[in-house]
Amino acid sequence: METESEPYVRLASLRQLHQVMADDQTAADVLGGFAIATMVPIIGVIAGTGAIGPEIDDGSVVYLLAKPLKRPTIIFTKLIVAIAVTMVFSAVPTLIAGLILNGNGQQIAVAYTVAALVASIAYSALFLLLGTVSRHAVVFGLVYALVWEALFGSLVPGARTLSVQQWALAVAHKVAGGDLVTSDVGLTTAVVLLVVVTVLATWYAGQKLRSLKLAGEE
């Protein structure tokens, strides 16, 4: 027989469950809308283009190219630095924010942290390439990150397929396993595109750096 207090206990439990679900949704919205969509690409632009772009612009790259190092090796070293910087300043804050928002309920914090780590690699490679081919790499990088991914990615469904953000979210969706983290790209497609873009961007950046000639080489 049900006591008088049992309905109130059930009601309190339902309220707590609703609050937990609301906290999880809030965490997913904040981490997806701010961390992955804004913070990671912007830091990627700064770290990627800044890894070698300023040296090319001011001509100091000649001192680096004069060393007995293969130019693809130089690019790879710069890429590692850019990836490390982007990860530290995007993935770590994402994890901390997720833990504060909902204590990693439904693996939300870990899922978005993994997305930030994965996206850091691809963004760093893309923006490092921009730094080797253009003096306006920061502008082009911001246009891609804020206009293509943030604006067109939210309005044009087809554009989401060509979005590093969506590729990273596909990996995060696999980690979280629920419906709070979603992506318009399948996991297999996302992983393949992440690898292909990172490898091709790194390779082409090495080729572009190799085409730079020192005065003594001409």
Side-chain angles (χ1 to χ4, degrees):
M1 185 175 181
E2 187 178 75
T3 65
E4 293 183 0
S5 62
E6 287 181 353
Y8 297 100
V9 172
R10 287 201 300 270
L11 180 60
S13 298
L14 289 174
R15 287 177 176 173
Q16 291 176 351
L17 177 61
H18 177 75
Q19 183 62 46
V20 168
M21 293 177 63
D23 291 342
D24 291 344
Q25 185 63 59
T26 299
D29 291 342
V30 171
L31 296 179
F34 176 71
I36 303 301
T38 304
M39 183 175 67
V40 180
I42 288 179
I43 294 175
V45 169
I46 296 171
T49 59
I52 198 169
E55 294 177 80
I56 295 177
D57 291 343
D58 63 20
S60 61
V61 72
V62 296
Y63 300 106
L64 181 62
L65 299 181
K67 296 180 179 180
L69 295 173
K70 293 182 179 180
R71 297 181 184 185
T73 302
I74 295 173
I75 286 295
F76 184 74
T77 303
K78 295 288 188 179
L79 175 63
I80 295 300
V81 173
I83 290 173
V85 171
T86 307
M87 285 182 172
V88 169
F89 288 98
S90 63
V92 174
T94 298
L95 177 61
I96 295 173
L99 293 175
I100 292 174
L101 287 169
N102 78 330
N104 196 37
Q106 300 192 52
Q107 294 292 310
I108 297 299
V110 171
Y112 278 106
T113 299
V114 171
L117 291 171
V118 170
S120 295
I121 298 173
Y123 281 132
S124 296
L126 280 174
F127 299 137
L128 178 63
L129 171 61
L130 281 178
T132 63
V133 300
S134 173
R135 291 180 177 272
H136 306 289
V138 174
V139 175
F140 291 138
L142 291 175
V143 168
Y144 173 80
L146 300 180
V147 177
W148 176 263
E149 293 210 343
L151 181 59
F152 284 95
S154 62
L155 299 177
V156 183
R160 298 171 190 166
T161 305
L162 301 176
S163 168
V164 174
Q165 175 187 336
Q166 291 297 322
W167 304 342
L169 287 175
V171 180
H173 174 71
K174 178 64 176 179
V175 175
D179 296 328
L180 289 175
V181 184
T182 60
S183 173
D184 294 321
V185 183
L187 178 62
T188 301
T189 301
V191 171
V192 170
L193 289 173
L194 284 166
V195 172
V196 169
V197 166
T198 301
V199 172
L200 286 181
T202 304
W203 173 80
Y204 192 62
Q207 298 304 306
K208 293 299 293 183
L209 189 64
R210 181 179 291 172
S211 68
L212 292 176
K213 299 295 183 180
L214 296 175
E217 297 177 334
E218 297 177 349

